[in-house]
Amino acid sequence: MKSSPHLLKGFPLGAVLVLSACATISTQAQSEYTRAQTEVQQLQTDPLANQAAGKPLQQARDALSRAADAIQHHNTADVMHWSYLAARRAEIGEAMVAELRARNQVASATAERVRILLDSQRRRTEVAQQQARQAEQHAQDASQQLQQERQQNQTQQAQQQIQQAQQQEQQAQQQEQQAKQQLEELQARETARGMVLTLSGSLLFATGRDTVQPGAIQSLDNVARFMQQHPMMKIRVQGFTDSRGSDELNDALSQRRAQAVSNALQSSGVDPSRLQAIGRGKSLPVASNDTAAGRQQNRRVELLFSDTAGEFASNQSGQQFQ
Amino acid sequence: MRKQIHLMAVPVAVLLAGGCASTPPPVGELSSAHALVSQAEQSDAPRYDSADLTSAQNKLQQADDNAKEHPSLSARLAQQAAVDAELALARTRAHKEQDALQQVDASLAALRSETEQPPAGAVAPNAVPPGGAQP
């Protein structure tokens, strides 16, 4: 009797009864019952069984228990019938478990799909942002480079212009210097008004006449040659007299003599636009009119030279008091 | 094989149930079996589980045939036909869900191969520096 609870524990109740009452039911019914037991056990060990197939599992257990009762009552037909129903109910439960398992997998696969899509979208966005940042950086770099190049160009141009201006100024100064030296060779002297070449009246003209004498033509030719070397330069030809005689006569005479010198220069090749003849009469004496020698000095024609650019040191063309 | 065994069970049952003939036809069992079998016929069971559906139809036919003369046998045939039809329905639903899973798995695999290659293929031509595309 000690081994009997052991047996009951180790084997399903139905199996024990079958063993004890085997003589009265068919072996086919026995195997049907065993098959049903196996199906039911298989179902109830599935972790999803209660959730997915609670009802068919219960129905299968009920049918199995009825089959066990039938074994006890030696009713082969009932054993067959309830075993069949129990097995089929268990199979229905297994199909329902399989359905739920597949549905859960569909759900997780769908979630995975969404996760992958979002992930790839996020990655694409990141790549695009990265590219945009790089493009912006490139554009900034390019713009900076362009600006630097422009600045360098501007600086170079400005430096070139400064150099050119300095060169031009140097050339102008050299020309000016050269002109001054040449004028000094022609016996001109430097005054506040500019370079002045004084031609003595007695050399230029016979007394009371306004025709330039042949002896003076040589020195006027030298002036004309000088003027050809400095094409921008201009001359103011100013005639002066001593104080003898009326102002009207002196003014007119000095004007005529200035004009005569101007004409002579013109004849030697100086363009009339570069010449201006002005009669200044007895004004601005360079010596005393009380002596004959002084008066002779006062009778003169002065050539006032502009700078090499054509500008006179003082712009007062009719200056009386210099 | 299984169907053969069940069909063989029928004559045995007939022999055992033959004794009592005065009970009325199993109206309730028959009508619920008819309802389930026709439900299974209208579902996708003919395509997914024709074996169980055929078994249900055969047993229902036999249950109808025996309704008057062998009501007890008819009732059991009707119960078995009903449970066969339920099984056909359950297996059909499970099959359809598994088909759906296959489709989702296939599209997931396609998506994986699409999205896991592009990062390597799309990043290189645009010369993103190494590590730049990493999240």
Side-chain angles (χ1 to χ4, degrees):
Chain A
M1 284 307 287
K2 257 195 162 182
S3 64
S4 130
H6 218 64
L7 272 176
L8 284 172
K9 234 181 179 180
F11 293 90
L13 180 63
V16 175
L17 290 171
V18 167
L19 286 175
S20 61
C22 59
T24 53
I25 62 161
S26 71
T27 50
Q28 193 192 347
Q30 277 181 41
S31 72
E32 279 287 292
Y33 178 76
T34 308
R35 195 179 73 83
Q37 268 187 319
T38 310
E39 292 280 3
V40 173
Q41 276 177 351
Q42 192 181 323
L43 175 60
Q44 66 193 0
T45 53
D46 194 303
L48 280 179
N50 284 324
Q51 183 194 347
K55 190 181 167 195
L57 177 59
Q58 190 53 51
Q59 288 172 326
R61 279 175 180 153
D62 290 347
L64 193 64
S65 138
R66 283 190 166 219
D69 285 349
I71 289 171
Q72 222 166 13
H73 293 101
H74 317 297
N75 187 333
T76 297
D78 276 7
V79 173
M80 298 279 285
H81 179 66
W82 291 114
S83 293
Y84 182 80
L85 290 184
R88 298 302 254 177
R89 293 285 182 208
E91 285 178 278
I92 289 170
E94 275 159 28
M96 288 166 80
V97 165
E99 182 190 354
L100 179 65
R101 188 163 283 132
R103 188 179 300 139
N104 286 345
Q105 286 170 341
V106 165
S108 69
T110 306
E112 174 70 0
R113 188 184 147 82
V114 169
R115 193 190 63 73
I116 289 172
L117 283 172
L118 288 175
D119 200 48
S120 110
Q121 181 63 47
R122 184 173 54 75
R123 249 181 316 197
R124 273 202 298 271
T125 308
E126 276 175 2
V127 169
Q129 283 173 345
Q130 180 81 23
Q131 287 171 349
R133 277 197 294 272
Q134 281 185 348
E136 201 181 341
Q137 189 60 46
H138 288 172
Q140 275 183 358
D141 290 351
S143 141
Q144 273 183 358
Q145 208 179 347
L146 193 68
Q147 221 173 3
Q148 282 177 354
E149 282 171 9
R150 273 189 193 148
Q151 281 176 352
Q152 283 176 351
N153 278 349
Q154 283 176 348
T155 308
Q156 279 180 351
Q157 280 179 357
Q159 284 172 346
Q160 281 179 354
Q161 284 172 349
I162 289 171
Q163 277 181 349
Q164 279 178 357
Q166 284 173 344
Q167 280 177 356
Q168 283 173 351
E169 201 180 310
Q170 271 184 352
Q171 282 176 355
Q173 281 175 355
Q174 281 176 358
Q175 271 187 344
E176 207 68 53
Q177 200 61 38
Q178 194 189 357
K180 202 169 158 185
Q181 280 179 4
Q182 288 170 334
L183 282 172
E184 275 167 0
E185 284 166 17
L186 292 171
Q187 305 300 316
R189 60 194 158 83
E190 193 172 5
T191 72
R193 295 170 288 154
M195 294 299 287
V196 172
L197 176 60
T198 302
L199 303 168
S200 165
S202 56
L203 278 174
L204 287 166
F205 306 105
T207 307
R209 302 291 301 273
D210 54 17
T211 312
V212 177
Q213 299 190 81
I217 296 294
Q218 183 58 45
S219 61
L220 290 179
D221 278 347
N222 291 340
V223 172
R225 259 197 305 282
F226 165 79
M227 289 297 277
Q228 277 168 2
Q229 290 173 35
H230 303 280
M232 301 291 285
M233 255 182 144
K234 292 176 180 173
I235 302 178
R236 265 181 206 150
V237 185
Q238 306 183 101
F240 297 91
T241 61
D242 60 26
S243 60
R244 291 179 306 172
S246 71
D247 285 354
E248 289 78 13
L249 277 173
N250 282 334
D251 287 348
L253 179 63
S254 65
Q255 176 69 43
R256 282 200 306 277
R257 286 184 165 179
Q259 190 62 55
V261 169
S262 174
N263 290 345
L265 283 170
Q266 222 175 302
S267 304
S268 303
V270 182
D271 192 276
S273 66
R274 303 170 66 191
L275 298 166
Q276 186 186 9
I278 302 168
R280 295 211 183 276
K282 62 178 184 184
S283 65
L284 301 173
V286 293
S288 167
N289 278 306
D290 295 339
T291 64
R295 285 194 295 274
Q296 192 180 344
Q297 280 185 48
N298 285 337
R299 292 193 299 274
R300 69 198 191 274
V301 170
E302 286 181 5
L303 303 184
L304 173 63
F305 293 87
S306 74
D307 62 17
T308 50
E311 295 295 324
F312 287 96
S314 168
N315 211 22
Q316 299 158 315
S317 57
Q319 72 260 57
Q320 292 290 327
F321 312 101
Q322 193 61 26
Chain B
M1 282 302 288
R2 188 184 288 171
K3 198 157 87 181
Q4 279 182 343
I5 291 166
H6 300 326
L7 289 176
M8 278 166 67
V10 173
V12 177
V14 172
L15 286 173
L16 288 169
C20 23
S22 59
T23 38
V27 181
E29 279 88 346
L30 284 171
S31 78
S32 69
H34 269 285
L36 282 166
V37 169
S38 99
Q39 193 187 332
E41 283 167 345
Q42 284 158 25
S43 74
D44 287 321
R47 199 176 88 190
Y48 285 104
D49 189 14
S50 64
D52 287 316
L53 178 58
T54 305
S55 168
Q57 287 166 331
N58 289 340
K59 281 177 188 158
L60 184 59
Q61 184 62 53
Q62 289 176 32
D64 282 337
D65 293 348
N66 288 284
K68 283 181 182 166
E69 289 179 28
H70 307 289
S72 172
L73 173 63
S74 172
R76 293 198 159 180
L77 285 166
Q79 284 174 353
Q80 293 187 8
V83 88
D84 286 350
E86 271 191 68
L87 182 56
L89 283 164
R91 281 181 169 159
T92 297
R93 283 195 297 266
H95 270 290
K96 288 171 85 168
E97 200 60 44
Q98 281 159 352
D99 280 0
L101 177 59
Q102 274 189 346
Q103 283 183 358
V104 174
D105 276 346
S107 84
L108 189 61
L111 184 65
R112 279 209 176 100
S113 69
E114 263 175 44
T115 54
E116 275 163 26
Q117 277 170 358
V123 170
N126 292 317
V128 170
Q134 297 303 313

